[in-house]
């Protein structure tokens, strides 16, 4: 490829251009620079997303402490409405403490979650409940099994959340009624900070879960839905980000582990290499 002056001024000494070798070297340098820069940019973006995720969990922690100060306890893992068909999440009572009073006022916890009075709340996706590193749709469809054909049929659309309460070391969807949880957010029974026998600094109370593992929600669920209770609480049984574990476990898209809110309000990432016994001990409210 050569570029020369106009013909009347052109001679061999005035022609300039690039050789094939020079072009190959240039392309090689550019490719190398791109390969070096892109991981750094990606790493910086993930660091920013992790910081945002931690800040969101921090706000949830502050809301829980404010709720405890006013009510003398933490919210129960879930609240039943009168017909016992739907449960509302522990996150709903926190909304006024998270500057979401307008949404809180749109929720009628005396009605089933599919009631028309809750239609607006079912459609509202709250950004502070979604981890920016996760690939999250604003809403998801909750399914239930058709008893006659063993197929899954759509039940209700719900807003998505990335953070679920720690139910303990058992699965909340492992039976109806749910087996008693040994964590902080247990069934419909409120827990006080004083009940956390290992101390606030040694107890995890809220953690992350990816939508790919199982979509979760801040609002609540129809209890006949698939994995219903596990949509609002999680289990610490094996390790964070465990690839072959139950859908109720905790997980994230952060490299190396998942963020957890501790009862004392701090945020810390727990490594996916953490041994199971330590992990389970951190999730229990008792020794």
């Amino acid at each position: 490829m050569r570029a020369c002056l106009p013909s009347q001024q052109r001679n061999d000494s005035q022609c300039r251009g690039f050789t094939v070798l020079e072009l190959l070297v240039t392309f090689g340098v550019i490719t190398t620079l791109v390969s070096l820069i892109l991981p750094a940019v990606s790493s910086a973006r993930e660091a920013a997303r992790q910081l945002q995720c931690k800040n969101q969990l921090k706000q949830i922690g502050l809301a829980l402490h404010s709720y405890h100060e006013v009510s003398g306890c933490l919210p129960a893992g879930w609240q039943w409405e009168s017909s016992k068909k739907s449960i509302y999440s522990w996150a709903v009572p926190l909304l006024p403490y998270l500057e979401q009073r307008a949404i809180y006022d749109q929720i009628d916890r005396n009605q089933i979650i599919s009631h028309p009075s809750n239609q607006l709340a079912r459609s509202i996706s709250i950004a502070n409940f979604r981890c920016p590193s996760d690939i999250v749709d604003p809403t998801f469809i909750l399914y239930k099994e058709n008893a006659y054909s063993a197929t899954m049929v759509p039940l209700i659309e719900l807003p998505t959340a990335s953070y679920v309460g720690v139910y303990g070391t058992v699965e909340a969807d492992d039976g109806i009624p749910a087996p008693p949880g040994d964590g902080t957010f247990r069934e419909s029974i409120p827990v006080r900070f004083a009940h956390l026998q290992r101390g606030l600094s040694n107890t995890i109370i809220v953690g992350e879960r990816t939508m790919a593992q199982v979509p979760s929600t801040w609002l609540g669920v129809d209890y006949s839905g698939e994995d219903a209770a596990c949509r609002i609480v999680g289990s610490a049984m094996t390790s964070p980000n465990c690839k072959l574990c139950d859908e109720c476990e905790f997980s994230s898209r952060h490299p190396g582990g998942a963020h957890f809110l501790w009862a004392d309000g701090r945020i810390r990432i727990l490594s996916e290499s953490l041994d199971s016994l330590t992990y389970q001990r951190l999730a229990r409210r008792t020794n």
Side-chain angles (χ1 to χ4, degrees):
M1 182 175 69
R2 305 182 69 83
C4 297
L5 296 173
S7 58
Q8 63 270 27
Q9 302 176 3
R10 185 174 61 205
N11 57 55
D12 289 342
S13 64
Q14 292 173 309
C15 291
R16 62 186 183 278
F18 299 101
T19 67
V20 173
L21 179 59
E22 288 172 330
L23 287 173
L24 291 175
V25 170
T26 301
F27 289 143
V29 170
I30 292 173
T31 302
T32 301
L33 289 174
V34 170
S35 67
L36 292 174
I37 292 171
L38 284 181
V41 171
S42 178
S43 179
R45 288 177 176 173
E46 171 55 22
R49 290 192 291 262
Q50 283 201 44
L51 180 60
Q52 183 180 344
C53 180
K54 291 174 66 175
N55 286 338
Q56 291 174 177
L57 275 170
K58 184 71 172 180
Q59 293 304 311
I60 292 173
L62 291 172
L64 284 168
H65 276 259
S66 297
Y67 182 94
H68 191 283
E69 184 176 349
V70 171
S71 304
C73 62
L74 295 170
W78 57 74
Q79 174 197 317
W80 291 96
E81 43 76 31
S82 57
S83 70
K84 301 289 187 179
K85 294 179 179 179
S86 300
I87 55 175
Y88 287 88
S89 169
W90 57 272
V92 172
L94 296 185
L95 294 178
Y97 301 92
L98 292 167
E99 301 182 353
Q100 302 291 345
R101 166 66 70 173
I103 299 176
Y104 178 79
D105 291 339
Q106 296 295 324
I107 302 170
D108 187 352
R109 287 183 285 171
N110 295 315
Q111 299 286 351
I112 59 175
I113 203 162
S114 58
H115 192 272
S117 62
N118 290 316
Q119 182 176 357
L120 180 60
R122 294 196 305 270
S123 67
I124 295 176
S125 177
I126 301 177
N128 285 349
F129 281 118
R130 301 198 315 268
C131 173
S133 290
D134 196 13
I135 302 172
V136 179
D137 293 326
T139 61
F140 69 94
I141 302 295
L142 180 67
Y143 289 82
K144 74 172 183 177
E145 185 175 351
N146 187 319
Y148 299 100
S149 63
T151 58
M152 304 304 293
V153 295
L155 184 61
I156 189 173
E157 186 174 13
L158 295 167
T160 305
S162 301
Y163 311 119
V164 292
V166 176
Y167 193 72
T169 62
V170 295
E171 298 174 41
D173 66 347
D174 201 21
I176 299 177
D182 56 358
T184 302
F185 291 101
R186 50 173 304 197
E187 314 99 46
S188 55
I189 305 171
V191 168
R192 298 176 181 174
F193 282 139
H195 294 154
L196 306 182
Q197 297 180 5
R198 300 186 64 254
L200 304 192
S201 61
N202 294 307
T203 310
I204 54 175
I205 60 175
V206 177
E208 296 184 84
R209 184 193 292 142
T210 62
M211 189 171 186
Q213 185 147 333
V214 64
S216 306
T217 182
W218 60 264
L219 178 56
V221 293
D222 185 313
Y223 206 69
S224 67
E226 181 187 27
D227 302 319
C230 275
R231 308 291 179 156
I232 56 179
V233 292
S235 306
M237 297 182 292
T238 308
S239 67
N241 292 348
C242 181
K243 302 301 182 185
L244 300 176
C245 292
D246 185 84
E247 66 276 0
C248 292
E249 292 259 19
F250 294 93
S251 61
S252 83
R253 290 187 180 272
H254 306 306
H259 285 121
F260 285 85
L261 166 68
W262 300 67
D264 63 0
R266 66 194 170 97
I267 313 300
R268 177 184 162 194
I269 193 165
L270 286 183
S271 171
E272 55 196 32
S273 62
L274 183 68
D275 71 273
S276 298
L277 291 179
T278 301
Y279 187 42
Q280 293 169 10
R281 190 162 57 247
L282 294 173
R284 297 190 184 101
R285 65 179 179 276
T286 58
N287 290 319

